[in-house]
Amino acid sequence: APILAQVKRVVCHLSSPAAMPHSFGYRARTRDLFSKAYKTKGRPMLGRYLVNFHVGDYVDIKADPSVQSGMPHKFYHGRTGIVFNVTKSAVGVEVTKVVGNRQLRKRIHVRVEHVRKSRCNELFLKRVKENDALQHAAKATGEVVCVKRIPPGPRPGKMIKADQAAVKVLAPIKYVFVPESEK
């Protein structure tokens, strides 16, 4: 009888939903996050290694699952940061992380396979060049030019004239009660 009770206890313990172990590993819940798309599996191409990174560049962190070394934590996947250090095979990236009610500036080193140049400030740099050219031309002619971005105001009003004969007034038809006997 005592052996049967022990067996019952073991069976109940294994069949209960709480029997699954906790899994809070470093790469927990990254089954889809760290997987490559169809026909893109395998090692990265050579062009990924030939990109030159400089201090101050904006970079996007996108972990490449085919290269496990130098891979960032899953939190940083998809984040944009600024390069603060460049080494032989890695770059140091400063990323903003919100913790509680404050913003921390985290500094992490990531291998170049997991980093690509960001296009987040392309329009800003283009606008800076255009503004510099405008100011240079204005200075040569001696006039003042405003390079501030001005939001578009309301569109101008207009009057619409219509042929009175072509205008049709839409109105509901008056309800007329018809008893069942007359139908």
Side-chain angles (χ1 to χ4, degrees):
I3 294 172
L4 186 62
Q6 285 180 347
V7 169
K8 249 187 185 177
R9 251 184 273 141
V10 170
V11 170
C12 289
H13 176 70
L14 291 176
S15 63
S16 67
M20 291 297 290
H22 285 297
S23 54
F24 299 120
Y26 195 75
R27 290 180 60 160
R29 290 168 285 283
T30 58
R31 180 179 187 159
D32 294 326
L33 190 72
F34 289 162
S35 64
K36 298 186 102 170
Y38 178 62
K39 288 192 176 179
T40 61
K41 299 185 190 316
R43 303 288 292 179
M45 298 294 176
L46 190 62
R48 189 78 67 82
Y49 297 97
L50 298 176
V51 179
N52 291 323
F53 293 101
H54 304 284
V55 174
D57 284 353
Y58 280 86
V59 292
D60 296 329
I61 300 171
K62 187 178 178 186
D64 189 341
S66 64
V67 183
Q68 285 84 35
S69 56
M71 186 186 281
H73 187 264
K74 64 186 175 213
F75 170 82
Y76 300 104
H77 183 78
R79 307 272 169 171
T80 302
I82 301 172
V83 175
F84 74 89
N85 186 23
V86 180
T87 63
K88 181 170 60 75
S89 58
V91 291
V93 184
E94 192 172 80
V95 186
T96 305
K97 182 177 183 180
V98 177
V99 178
N101 62 344
R102 62 200 190 279
Q103 287 186 339
L104 302 179
R105 286 160 66 196
K106 307 281 281 187
R107 289 185 153 203
I108 58 170
H109 278 82
V110 185
R111 280 179 70 121
V112 291
E113 294 95 328
H114 311 292
V115 164
R116 55 202 63 189
K117 287 202 173 183
S118 180
R119 301 182 62 192
C120 65
N121 64 340
E122 273 184 0
L123 293 174
F124 168 72
L125 294 174
K126 181 183 170 191
R127 199 172 75 246
V128 166
K129 281 185 181 177
E130 289 172 356
N131 289 349
D132 286 345
L134 285 171
Q135 285 177 332
H136 186 72
K139 191 173 183 181
T141 58
E143 57 188 39
V144 179
V145 65
C146 181
V147 293
K148 286 186 178 180
R149 291 175 292 170
I150 300 166
R155 288 176 290 186
K158 55 188 174 185
M159 295 294 291
I160 299 172
K161 292 183 180 177
D163 182 18
Q164 291 297 327
V167 174
K168 292 183 180 178
V169 178
L170 298 176
I173 300 170
K174 187 176 178 183
Y175 175 73
V176 179
F177 177 74
V178 180
E180 284 290 326
S181 60
E182 293 180 17
K183 284 186 183 178

